[in-house]
Amino acid sequence: MMAQVRGFASAPYFTSLVTVFLLLAMLAAGGAAYPGFLSLQVVFNLLIDNAFLLVIAIGMSFVILSGGIDLSVGSVLALATMISAWLLRSAHWPPVAVIAFVLVLGALFGAAQGALIHYFKLQAFIVTLAGMFLARGLCYLISIESITIEDPLFVAMSQTQLELLGGFISPGALIALVLLGLAIYAAHYTAFGRAVYAIGGNEQSAQMMGLAVGRTKVLIYALSGLCAALAGVLFSFYMLSGYGLHAQGTELDAIAAVVIGGTLLSGGYGYLAGALSGVLILGTIQTLIAFDGTLSSWWTKIVIGGLLFVFCVVQRLMSIGAKNNQ
Amino acid sequence: QKPLVIGFSQVGAESEWRTANTASVKDAAKKAGVTLKFADAQQRQENQVKAIRSFIAQRVDIIAFSPVVESGWDTVLREAKAAKIPVILTDRSVNVSDPTLFVSLIGSDFVEEGRKAGRWLVEYAKKSPAATLNIVELQGTVGSAPAIDRKAGFEEIIKGNPKLKVVRTQTGDFTRAKGKEVMEAFLKAQGKSINVLYAHNDDMAIGAIQAIEEAGLKPGKDIIIISIDGVKGAFEAMIAGKLNVTVECSPLLGPQLMEAAAAVKAGKAIPKRIVVNEGVFPAEVAAKEFPNRKY
Amino acid sequence: MAATDVAPVLELTGIHKEFPGVKALSDAGLRLYPGEVHTLMGQNGAGKSTLIKVLTGVYTPERGTMLLEGKPIRPSSTLEAQELGISTVYQEVNLCPNLSVAENIFIGRYPRKWGRIDWKGMQREAARMLALMDIDIDVAKPLSHYSLAVQQMVAISRALNVNAKVLILDEPTSSLDEAEVQLLFTVLRRLRGQGIAILFVTHFLDQTYAISDRITVMRNGEREGEYLCSELSRIALVNKMIGAPADEQRAAAVAEDAALAQGGQAQAGQAAAQSPELVLEARALGRRGALLPTDISIRKGELLGLCGLLGSGRTELARLLFGADKADSGGITAVDRASAAPFANPRDAIGAGIGFCSEDRKHEGAILSLSVRENLILAMQAQAGMLRAIPLKRQQELANNYVKWLGIKTASIETPIGSLSGGNQQKVLLARWLATEPKLMILDEPTRGIDVRAKEEIMDYVSALCRKGMSILFISSELPEVLRVSDRMIVMRDRKACGEYQRGELDDTTVLHAIAGEAA
Amino acid sequence: MLLQHPLMKPLAALFALLLVDLIFIPGFFHLEWKDGHLYGSVIDIVNRAAPLMLAALGMTLVIATRGIDISVGAVVALSGTVAAMLIGGTMVMHNGVPVYEANTPMLWALCAAMGAALLCGAWNGLLVSTLGLQPIVATLILMVAGRGLAQLLTDGQIVTVYYQPFFFLGSGYLFGLPFSLYVVAAVVLAVSLLMRKTALGLFIQAVGINPVAARLAGLKTAALIFFVYVFCSACAGMAGLMISSNIKSADANNAGLLLELDAILAVTLGGTSLAGGKFSLAGSMIGALIIQTLTYTIYSLGVPPEVNMVVKSVVVFLVCLSQSPEFKQIWKRKAA
Ligand SMILES: Nc1ncnc2c1ncn2[C@@H]1O[C@H](COP(=O)(O)OP(=O)(O)OP(=O)(O)O)[C@@H](O)[C@H]1O
Ligand SMILES: Nc1ncnc2c1ncn2[C@@H]1O[C@H](COP(=O)(O)OP(=O)(O)OP(=O)(O)O)[C@@H](O)[C@H]1O
Ligand SMILES: [Mg+2]
Ligand SMILES: [Mg+2]
């Protein structure tokens, strides 16, 4: 029995399990403290409200697993909402064409960043930071005001509620979950996914082993751009508007979610599913605070920091403990 | 009888004005014996949506919020309506397809504030002997509603006046530091030709005043300064003669919000638009007004 | 044996490659015939690895032609080289530590099932391939879990797994022991029989003569000559590598020593062996999953050899002694040390006068983008403390001295260590520890990748240090080497010490039996 | 040979920017003597760049150990707030004449502010070195909570300082040059001396490039990592004092917002790799100057605010590309 526990504790996915366990603990604590917290719909709301973040975090997971970073995602999201809104309102494109166009554009944007990073040996941090300025800047070139979306398809997507177990979730949340499934499959069962891990483990070795490092890296950033654009589309479903100031600082949330989900920022280690637990944890922290409803703006920040701290430390200590025990 | 429960989603704590706004709502709630569920959105719309959803889940009596932006509220407000929770907006309006999604809007009109600033300047220009007045403008955060509206209102008024010319405009992000930094650059680039500074909020104006002083000019005299908000710092500056006028944008919406909420709860009809009393305070009245300022 | 009338499968001529400040290859060349094992030999820094990297598209040469089956090739990446049918194991293990052993073997050419990666099948196949080499490990565990030797075997398995025309192995045996080497050779012979051309790099003369058909000797970036193995004596070979015919005797000695395993026992610190003074004594030192409680003691001036099979726990013992890993049982007493607890970290151990040269130079030794000088003085500086910086003059002096003594081939002492050849990096790391003048030096595979002549010199140097009173714990996969220099020897098996032999009792059969765990 | 120097590329970028200024902005390099000090755009740039330079300095060392510190902005807010609150004082009206007094002796206040910054650094350092949290999450905690603390102290209000001597730090002049410049110079000098005279630089690089090997060589890796985070926060603390002194108030909501990104950008523009190891202090200083010059240029050129970001990003792309050897090769191949 003990040996089993030990084997379990030394499994590579242990950190991720700790994360899930802590998430459940946090939900339970919330349920005990605030009436109405532990309802199904609150949990579904976590998914609905964070669908776009989950989608971004999925793209970000690939980037981080490969040892890179992508700071442009939040801005690309905003750009996607902006372009969608503008195309729908001013150019009167059909909504499906708009979505396809935006997705392609996001992928191209990411691919361009990836190409700069790989072929010119530039640092991912700077390239994507400049990309972040660029994408947001482009939003303002379209319009500095927010543009409302009135397209029927978008409105329908926004207001549809899919009944599930007595609660409801949004199509956006469903899309995000499906994407997560696809991403887990890609990371685990395709050559591309494994190349991502290999590059994160040791880029030089991956090159020497004959992997197409350049192509993979460009693809990774393209994927991240695509996810950001898709998140933008979900965000436009969610908000029904395009706006240059949408989703500011989302890149940091996405990185935090991925890292909290157990992925190492230095690359090579972690699981795609961790993105989900990371996103849910950030969401739960916010929900806890909203349910509490007595915190001032600054106490909100302090409590978020404190919960992050407790969370990271417990996660870390449990992992260390498990290692020592093995 | 159970106390009234209001869920209030605030934009954030990005400026003194906002903090005063929050304080006013909290104080008023306490005085009115209302249970206030407060959520800070840290300047992000998605956080506000999340907060509103959790208010719905908690079945509060009334939801109030200061929207970060105008668009994008249809879905969540529909959910609130489905849950039969009335919504009151404060400070800014929203663009929704169905006007019944909210009960009332209590707040200022940013465009009108811009207009007031413009009118004051037009009056001033009439008295001024100079042939043209070169204006520099310190905008708020690019894309934010107050920045867009205050710029639009101001432009609307001065457009017809050939004497008034905006020579430079740049964003100062509503902060003192940026206001000062940008003003420094303006002063170097334009030299002494700047006659008027129009700042979208007091903080930027206060920063700019420092830059003007450091350039060896006299703020309020060599360069006329107009700003918006009417925070304490602005009054101090006016008393010191460094600021010419501030257009009030009152953050003290709390009491009105509580009144409206109580009325809605009691099933009384309330006006769709509740305007806050706001004035224009030129330097001459500053000393007299100063003791009355709460924030 | 390759028939000369067959056209070479691979022919390189007039290859030039220059790095800033170094001419790595000038007019180098190579001919490979199908179905032969061809050994590339040369001193450290002669350009062997560079030639291989040029051939496989890691570096682009300034000049030269490469013909594969008569057609000119110029691969611009390892991927291209692989697609051309050239499969390579590079000198430094180039695998991904985070991936499982199985994946490291199969990445890039996964077995599929319904279009997706077939993990089960892959693991089965990987286990089978490793079993061929007598390695029985959990292939699902990450590679970083295993010792360097296992990693090297994985790299070899990976290269063997490809359907290649040309197989290149750059010092694959440097951290393998006798048994593994033999297994590898069996595999190579089989591949040779299938008509594959094999290029093999080693510094071991024995291995060269055991397997190769033909030898190309490189010297200073040039092709010195190509010889049939059967027609080249050991002495002649060493001579050609060193390139100093005047130094005939020296060459003879080198060849002799290297060839005769336990033969002419070097006159190591015999006198000191009798010294009763203990420098270090460990009692019941152990760590769960790594080492069973083990006793070990080392006397002043003694050269203690440690041998055993792969994974027998030698490296683990060394790491525990040095505090690199935390022991969970036992204690260590050392001279001038109050506590009897195991060392908590390397700093403590260094403070007690211990030095440790790790077997894994890429991950645990070299700090790649720092210069030779900085790498060399690092341990010394750490000991002196941060505030007492060693004056630059002194650093340069030290570095220059060691570069001279150990014959380190480098453009200058300010060259980043990463651009040195493997053997030369190893020498710098050795120098790092020698410079601290420890009381006890733990050398884990210190001669890994070092050429015959330098090995000789280093061993002489080490023996001399012993005579001056330094104790040495010497770990090497080359049994002859250990036998030759040790005053005393401990044999390890199954993660614990299982036998101790004094100098007089040493002979290879006894030891081999002990290692293998059979009654002699 | 000189052209090979790693600092040449960032310097060239800076000069290119200045050249643009020279051509398009009349009187950009014009300096005059005003009120006993030099006055002009260039002075503005260095004065404004001073806090960024300090932040970049601390960040350089953190990055050299393969870490990152995103709490810099929060520490700036916190230290500025502490100092401003302790010194500030309320304006007392005396017969219509305002009188200003420091609440706490300025020296104490400055010490307290720096103390707060050092505590922040120690906190970060502890989380990274002892607990082994990933630097980005470890400092994320303080990034969020630190600003909250600062706002808690001020109740979200801007704390105005009326005490004159405090202004000297951020907007005073010494021998005609901004005082902040001397502070930066002193810190840079001290750090370079430390790098030259002690083995600190070597150790930091070793830890950044190969922490395992560094530990085996006997370095106190944990202590070193702890130190760099403390140092980074100390630099941020000083930057915070400078910023609040310059605007004569502490704005807990906005002070130092996103300064960490600019600092990291400055470090990378200066040629230090985020993968750790080799670093260049001078490069980071030049990087900070590039950023500030660019910002100033945008203001001075009269670029419409909505285009700011596009211009900034395009320049960053160009600077990076100009530094990439691969790009140069392609260029050469085209030309040939
Ligand atoms: N990337 C590089 N940059 C600069 N110099 C290099 C680089 N790689 C190799 N060299 C130099 O080229 C020469 C040949 O090195 P190479 O690695 O080919 O030697 P080798 O024959 O493989 O030696 P060893 O037996 O030690 O492995 C050496 O002097 C080395 O310093
Ligand atoms: N042939 C093998 N079969 C199974 N496991 C092995 C084998 N070789 C090494 N290992 C693993 O490698 C780990 C490291 O062993 P260690 O390095 O202590 O042994 P060593 O005697 O120094 O061997 P090496 O020659 O590889 O350095 C062991 O814990 C073991 O799990
Ligand atoms: Mg080699
Ligand atoms: Mg070993």
Side-chain angles (χ1 to χ4, degrees):
Chain A
M1 180 61 208
M2 216 35 223
Q4 258 170 4
V5 171
R6 254 184 233 137
F8 175 72
S10 65
Y13 45 78
F14 182 70
T15 316
S16 311
L17 284 176
V18 170
T19 314
V20 173
F21 170 74
L22 285 176
L23 173 64
L24 293 179
M26 225 150 75
L27 284 173
Y34 309 111
F37 186 91
L38 259 195
S39 73
L40 190 68
Q41 193 54 46
V42 170
V43 178
F44 282 167
N45 280 350
L46 280 180
L47 283 174
I48 296 172
D49 293 331
N50 295 298
F52 75 95
L53 184 59
L54 177 59
V55 170
I56 284 201
I58 289 167
M60 187 70 80
S61 291
F62 281 101
V63 175
I64 291 183
L65 280 173
S66 78
I69 198 154
D70 187 352
L71 298 176
S72 69
V73 287
S75 308
V76 172
L77 185 160
L79 185 60
T81 65
M82 203 72 198
I83 292 179
S84 310
W86 185 80
L87 284 179
L88 289 169
R89 198 188 60 175
S90 306
H92 304 292
W93 280 32
V96 179
V98 168
I99 293 174
F101 178 74
V102 165
L103 292 184
V104 170
L105 212 64
L108 286 180
F109 191 93
Q113 294 188 109
L116 282 175
I117 292 166
H118 182 75
Y119 294 108
F120 299 122
K121 302 268 175 305
L122 300 181
Q123 299 198 40
F125 193 96
I126 298 205
V127 170
T128 57
L129 182 64
M132 164 172 140
F133 293 143
L134 182 64
R136 238 183 245 286
L138 290 175
C139 293
Y140 299 139
L141 290 191
I142 296 173
S143 161
I144 55 171
E145 289 181 59
S146 73
I147 305 177
T148 306
I149 296 175
E150 280 148 359
D151 177 82
L153 178 75
F154 276 66
V155 173
M157 288 302 260
S158 169
Q159 285 161 7
T160 305
Q161 301 186 342
L162 304 169
E163 298 291 331
L164 190 73
L165 307 169
F168 68 88
I169 65 168
S170 66
L174 200 66
I175 291 174
L177 287 177
V178 169
L179 185 73
L180 180 70
L182 288 178
I184 292 176
Y185 177 85
H188 211 60
Y189 290 109
T190 67
F192 165 73
R194 302 320 295 171
V196 172
Y197 277 87
I199 292 172
N202 190 331
E203 183 170 337
Q204 199 199 342
S205 290
Q207 183 103 49
M208 294 288 226
M209 287 161 97
L211 297 180
V213 171
R215 197 180 59 205
T216 308
K217 271 172 82 177
V218 172
L219 268 177
I220 290 168
Y221 286 91
L223 180 66
S224 176
L226 178 76
C227 284
L230 178 61
V233 172
L234 298 191
F235 206 86
S236 350
F237 291 166
Y238 184 60
M239 295 292 183
L240 289 179
S241 69
Y243 188 32
L245 285 173
H246 268 331
Q248 281 198 318
T250 299
E251 51 282 341
L252 206 57
D253 286 351
I255 294 170
V258 170
V259 171
I260 287 171
T263 300
L264 283 194
L265 198 64
S266 44
Y269 296 90
Y271 294 90
L272 250 294
L276 179 63
S277 46
V279 165
L280 289 182
I281 279 160
L282 292 185
T284 309
I285 290 180
Q286 275 189 345
T287 311
L288 279 176
I289 285 169
F291 265 82
D292 183 82
T294 58
L295 298 176
S296 62
S297 302
W298 29 97
W299 276 113
T300 304
K301 288 187 182 136
I302 296 171
V303 170
I304 291 179
L307 285 176
L308 270 180
F309 168 73
V310 170
F311 182 84
C312 292
V313 168
V314 172
Q315 185 189 39
R316 179 79 195 138
L317 289 181
M318 285 178 78
S319 308
I320 293 177
K323 270 226 183 77
N324 286 346
N325 260 333
Q326 84 189 11
Chain B
Q1 193 205 346
K2 263 192 12 203
L4 189 64
V5 181
I6 300 182
F8 181 64
S9 166
Q10 179 59 288
V11 172
E14 76 281 9
S15 64
E16 263 187 306
W17 189 95
R18 185 65 61 192
T19 322
N21 180 237
T22 305
S24 159
V25 171
K26 284 192 167 172
D27 288 348
K30 200 181 270 167
K31 279 212 194 86
V34 167
T35 308
L36 186 73
K37 292 269 175 189
F38 176 83
D40 176 290
Q42 310 189 9
Q43 283 94 260
R44 287 164 64 172
Q45 186 182 12
E46 60 269 26
N47 288 351
Q48 282 197 309
V49 174
K50 288 175 200 172
I52 293 172
R53 287 228 161 87
S54 74
F55 292 150
I56 298 173
Q58 292 177 74
R59 315 227 146 271
V60 297
D61 296 318
I62 286 176
I63 291 175
F65 68 106
S66 296
V68 174
V69 274
E70 296 187 346
S71 49
W73 295 103
D74 265 296
T75 311
V76 70
L77 293 191
R78 241 172 252 277
E79 282 169 30
K81 193 175 178 187
K84 299 199 173 58
I85 302 175
V87 172
I88 300 176
L89 305 177
T90 62
D91 180 27
R92 303 177 194 176
S93 183
V94 297
N95 281 335
V96 281
S97 50
D98 173 4
T100 64
L101 288 179
F102 65 94
V103 191
S104 177
L105 160 68
I106 307 171
S108 346
D109 182 339
F110 298 135
V111 182
E112 184 56 30
E113 288 161 9
R115 288 195 200 109
K116 284 180 185 164
R119 284 191 204 109
W120 187 91
L121 183 61
V122 169
E123 284 306 307
Y124 174 85
K126 276 188 198 144
K127 285 177 260 160
S128 159
T132 49
L133 290 176
N134 289 327
I135 307 168
V136 294
E137 182 183 26
L138 284 174
Q139 295 186 25
T141 308
V142 178
S144 66
I148 295 168
D149 292 351
R150 286 173 185 173
K151 184 177 167 60
F154 185 75
E155 266 172 5
E156 180 190 321
I157 299 298
I158 65 161
K159 207 167 42 195
N161 196 325
K163 215 172 163 184
L164 302 174
K165 204 171 107 217
V166 176
V167 288
R168 268 173 196 265
T169 174
Q170 183 55 264
T171 173
D173 278 338
F174 284 131
T175 68
R176 281 193 193 184
K178 277 278 169 201
K180 182 170 182 182
E181 185 176 348
V182 174
M183 194 64 202
E184 276 176 357
F186 282 175
L187 286 165
K188 303 292 177 319
Q190 295 293 133
K192 296 208 164 70
S193 70
I194 302 173
N195 307 106
V196 179
L197 164 67
Y198 169 47
H200 286 188
N201 80 346
D202 288 337
D203 285 342
M204 288 192 292
I206 292 169
I209 287 172
Q210 294 174 9
I212 294 169
E213 285 179 320
E214 281 165 25
L217 297 173
K218 292 214 166 53
K221 306 213 169 50
D222 297 335
I223 296 178
I224 301 301
I225 302 174
I226 307 167
S227 78
I228 298 183
D229 269 2
V231 298
K232 245 187 193 151
F235 279 83
E236 285 174 12
M238 283 195 287
I239 293 169
K242 295 174 183 174
L243 180 72
N244 299 74
V245 64
T246 182
V247 176
E248 187 187 28
C249 173
S250 175
L252 306 179
L253 311 174
Q256 277 167 304
L257 173 61
M258 294 309 142
E259 265 172 44
V264 170
K265 184 69 189 167
K268 282 181 231 157
I270 60 167
K272 195 81 193 169
R273 181 81 174 81
I274 301 173
V275 184
V276 183
N277 289 330
E278 287 171 340
V280 176
F281 296 99
E284 299 82 60
V285 302
K288 200 162 88 235
E289 180 66 19
F290 185 66
N292 303 334
R293 303 311 290 177
K294 293 216 182 81
Y295 61 96
Chain C
M1 177 103 355
T4 16
D5 50 300
V6 185
V9 56
L10 186 72
E11 187 161 11
L12 276 64
T13 42
I15 307 279
H16 284 257
K17 176 71 201 170
E18 223 171 304
F19 293 109
V22 198
K23 200 173 237 174
L25 296 177
S26 49
D27 200 21
L30 183 72
R31 266 190 309 172
L32 263 185
Y33 289 94
E36 71 162 349
V37 174
H38 190 123
T39 306
L40 191 57
M41 296 204 74
Q43 283 184 283
N44 291 137
K48 304 179 294 290
S49 301
T50 307
L51 185 65
I52 288 169
K53 287 186 180 166
V54 164
L55 169 59
T56 55
V58 179
Y59 298 144
T60 18
E62 279 95 45
R63 252 181 299 146
T65 51
M66 301 190 268
L67 300 175
L68 183 72
E69 296 176 322
K71 283 187 279 300
I73 56 163
R74 190 162 264 231
S76 61
S77 71
T78 47
L79 182 59
E80 241 173 84
Q82 273 185 20
E83 281 163 357
L84 288 169
I86 306 174
S87 176
T88 318
V89 176
Y90 295 95
Q91 182 172 12
E92 302 295 344
V93 172
N94 272 300
L95 296 173
C96 294
N98 57 326
L99 301 184
S100 71
V101 170
E103 266 201 280
N104 268 296
I105 297 179
F106 282 98
I107 194 165
R109 41 176 179 274
Y110 293 100
R112 309 249 169 185
K113 203 174 184 179
W114 302 316
R116 63 181 183 77
I117 295 169
D118 175 15
W119 285 88
K120 282 268 144 54
M122 177 169 87
Q123 287 171 359
R124 227 179 306 117
E125 189 60 13
R128 196 186 59 77
M129 294 194 59
L130 286 174
L132 283 184
M133 308 280 223
D134 213 17
I135 304 247
D136 173 28
I137 53 174
D138 181 356
V139 294
K141 282 213 169 127
L143 183 80
S144 58
H145 217 77
Y146 295 102
S147 69
L148 194 65
V150 174
Q151 298 189 13
Q152 202 154 37
M153 292 302 248
V154 173
I156 294 170
S157 301
R158 175 179 171 76
L160 296 182
N161 177 37
V162 198
N163 278 328
K165 296 177 200 131
V166 177
L167 175 63
I168 303 174
L169 304 163
D170 192 353
E171 298 197 31
T173 53
S174 63
S175 55
L176 301 187
D177 63 27
E178 201 48 41
E180 268 80 26
V181 171
Q182 287 315 321
L183 282 165
L184 175 64
F185 283 0
T186 317
V187 176
L188 291 188
R189 287 196 189 99
R190 200 186 70 223
L191 292 175
R192 170 168 66 186
Q194 295 167 5
I196 293 173
I198 297 168
L199 182 65
F200 179 62
V201 181
T202 187
H203 289 295
F204 299 115
L205 297 183
D206 282 350
Q207 293 178 5
T208 309
Y209 282 94
I211 185 118
S212 41
D213 304 308
R214 201 187 289 270
I215 300 172
T216 291
V217 176
M218 287 190 72
R219 197 169 66 221
N220 289 331
E222 293 173 37
R223 167 157 60 177
E224 201 276 342
E226 187 192 282
Y227 310 93
L228 277 176
C229 186
S230 49
E231 291 169 7
L232 187 69
S233 74
R234 284 171 190 243
I235 297 179
L237 172 57
V238 171
N239 245 329
K240 293 196 187 308
M241 276 159 49
I242 299 172
D247 201 0
E248 197 87 21
Q249 270 186 334
R250 178 77 192 158
V254 168
E256 202 89 328
D257 274 346
L260 304 176
Q262 70 283 36
Q265 304 234 328
Q267 61 290 43
Q270 259 141 329
Q274 270 79 43
S275 160
E277 192 191 334
L278 285 176
V279 270
L280 180 127
E281 185 173 21
R283 247 167 289 99
L285 196 64
R287 178 181 160 86
R288 203 165 5 180
L291 187 74
L292 297 168
T294 299
D295 295 333
I296 188 169
S297 59
I298 303 166
R299 275 189 279 276
K300 186 161 189 263
E302 184 182 39
L303 204 160
L304 176 63
L306 203 56
C307 58
L309 289 180
L310 267 192
S312 56
R314 295 164 298 174
T315 299
E316 268 308 326
L317 175 58
R319 290 177 62 89
L320 288 179
L321 284 175
F322 187 63
D325 291 330
K326 239 196 183 111
D328 47 22
S329 74
I332 294 177
T333 45
V335 279
D336 310 330
R337 183 165 182 261
S339 156
F343 296 115
N345 54 49
R347 247 188 105 66
D348 283 1
I350 294 170
I354 302 178
F356 171 61
C357 191
S358 161
E359 63 175 347
D360 189 350
R361 70 167 162 257
K362 189 174 168 189
H363 296 110
E364 298 181 349
I367 297 184
L368 286 180
S369 41
L370 291 189
S371 69
V372 169
R373 169 179 60 84
E374 287 167 320
N375 266 287
L376 206 149
I377 59 121
L378 188 63
M380 236 181 126
Q381 181 68 67
Q383 212 178 5
M386 192 186 82
L387 294 180
R388 263 173 293 151
I390 303 169
L392 193 62
K393 270 261 173 51
R394 173 104 186 87
Q395 294 186 16
Q396 287 164 342
E397 193 186 330
L398 262 167
N400 280 321
N401 282 345
Y402 277 105
V403 165
K404 205 155 11 112
W405 284 346
L406 298 177
I408 298 170
K409 195 181 169 214
T410 170
S412 91
I413 54 170
E414 299 303 331
T415 317
I417 193 174
S419 59
L420 262 55
S421 81
N424 285 307
Q425 288 183 20
Q426 186 69 32
K427 292 184 196 172
V428 174
L429 297 182
L430 201 59
R432 172 191 290 173
W433 290 106
L434 293 176
T436 63
E437 297 174 0
K439 289 194 202 108
L440 167 65
M441 174 89 131
I442 304 171
L443 299 174
D444 195 358
E445 314 273 4
T447 53
R448 216 188 119 217
I450 289 184
D451 67 45
V452 260
R453 172 167 162 186
K455 197 176 288 183
E456 231 20 65
E457 287 166 359
I458 287 173
M459 290 320 298
D460 285 353
Y461 191 73
V462 164
S463 307
L465 286 174
C466 270
R467 259 173 275 128
K468 279 200 216 145
M470 184 165 89
S471 318
I472 290 179
L473 180 64
F474 182 74
I475 305 173
S476 169
S477 299
E478 271 178 282
L479 187 54
E481 200 173 274
V482 188
L483 282 171
R484 190 154 52 80
V485 297
S486 311
D487 297 317
R488 188 160 59 99
M489 193 153 92
I490 290 179
V491 174
M492 295 193 66
R493 183 164 16 100
D494 295 338
R495 301 166 192 275
K496 63 172 188 287
C498 66
E500 194 181 314
Y501 301 86
Q502 294 299 329
R503 187 175 188 79
E505 318 167 337
L506 292 176
D507 79 73
D508 60 345
T509 34
T510 350
V511 177
L512 270 176
H513 279 293
I515 289 175
E518 294 154 9
Chain D
M1 197 56 224
L2 199 65
L3 285 175
Q4 299 284 314
H5 197 276
L7 282 183
M8 276 319 288
K9 284 169 185 163
L11 267 180
L14 181 59
F15 283 130
L17 263 177
L18 290 174
L19 196 67
V20 170
D21 293 337
L22 181 69
I23 297 170
F24 294 103
I25 304 170
F28 185 83
F29 289 97
H30 178 76
L31 282 177
E32 56 184 302
W33 193 262
K34 207 175 223 176
D35 305 334
H37 62 81
L38 283 172
Y39 175 86
S41 304
V42 182
I43 297 293
D44 279 355
I45 291 180
V46 287
N47 196 6
R48 197 57 64 182
L52 180 56
M53 285 165 110
L54 277 180
L57 189 67
M59 190 67 84
T60 308
L61 296 194
V62 170
I63 285 177
T65 64
R66 222 192 259 181
I68 200 155
D69 184 350
I70 56 171
S71 69
V72 166
V75 176
V76 162
L78 198 60
S79 82
T81 302
V82 170
M85 289 190 69
L86 290 179
I87 296 172
T90 35
M91 181 173 65
V92 197
M93 294 296 274
H94 249 295
N95 309 330
V97 186
V99 178
Y100 313 113
E101 278 167 0
N103 294 357
T104 320
M106 190 162 97
L107 191 66
W108 284 118
L110 295 186
C111 286
M114 286 309 290
L118 290 175
L119 270 181
C120 290
W123 166 266
N124 283 336
L126 217 62
L127 291 190
V128 176
S129 70
T130 310
L131 266 177
L133 289 188
Q134 296 192 57
I136 201 165
V137 247
T139 52
L140 175 69
I141 293 169
L142 194 62
M143 177 195 184
V144 181
R147 194 170 290 280
L149 274 176
Q151 289 175 326
L152 176 69
L153 288 177
T154 61
D155 246 354
Q157 299 293 316
I158 296 178
V159 182
T160 308
V161 182
Y162 300 97
Y163 184 62
Q164 288 285 341
F166 180 60
F167 305 156
F168 190 69
L169 188 58
S171 40
Y173 288 84
L174 191 65
F175 308 122
L177 289 174
F179 179 69
S180 55
L181 207 57
Y182 293 94
V183 176
V184 174
V187 179
V188 170
L189 206 70
V191 177
S192 348
L193 266 182
L194 207 60
M195 294 299 156
R196 193 132 322 149
K197 295 288 171 203
T198 73
L200 182 64
L202 174 67
F203 285 8
I204 287 179
Q205 289 177 29
V207 169
I209 300 167
N210 190 341
V212 180
R215 193 176 94 95
L216 285 183
L219 299 191
K220 291 185 196 164
T221 43
L224 271 168
I225 289 173
F226 180 79
F227 165 79
V228 294
Y229 283 91
V230 172
F231 177 73
C232 184
S233 284
C235 284
M238 261 183 276
L241 292 179
M242 248 177 218
I243 290 173
S244 65
S245 153
N246 186 281
I247 58 166
K248 304 178 174 142
S249 53
D251 182 351
N253 310 320
N254 295 304
L257 212 56
L258 297 188
L259 187 68
E260 50 275 349
L261 281 189
D262 274 345
I264 298 168
L265 189 60
V267 173
T268 29
L269 285 180
T272 300
S273 156
L274 282 173
K278 292 266 177 215
F279 61 90
S280 160
L281 294 176
S284 301
M285 299 304 98
I286 297 170
L289 284 175
I290 292 178
I291 294 174
Q292 196 53 44
T293 310
L294 176 58
T295 314
Y296 199 91
T297 305
I298 289 175
Y299 295 156
S300 307
L301 279 177
V303 175
E306 54 273 18
V307 189
N308 280 2
M309 287 214 197
V310 175
V311 175
K312 193 170 175 181
S313 63
V314 169
V315 173
V316 173
F317 275 131
L318 288 181
V319 172
C320 292
L321 278 182
S322 73
Q323 300 196 7
S324 155
E326 280 75 14
F327 185 69
K328 215 181 266 168
Q329 266 173 12
I330 290 176
W331 203 245
K332 263 190 210 143
R333 232 175 283 156
K334 278 252 176 69

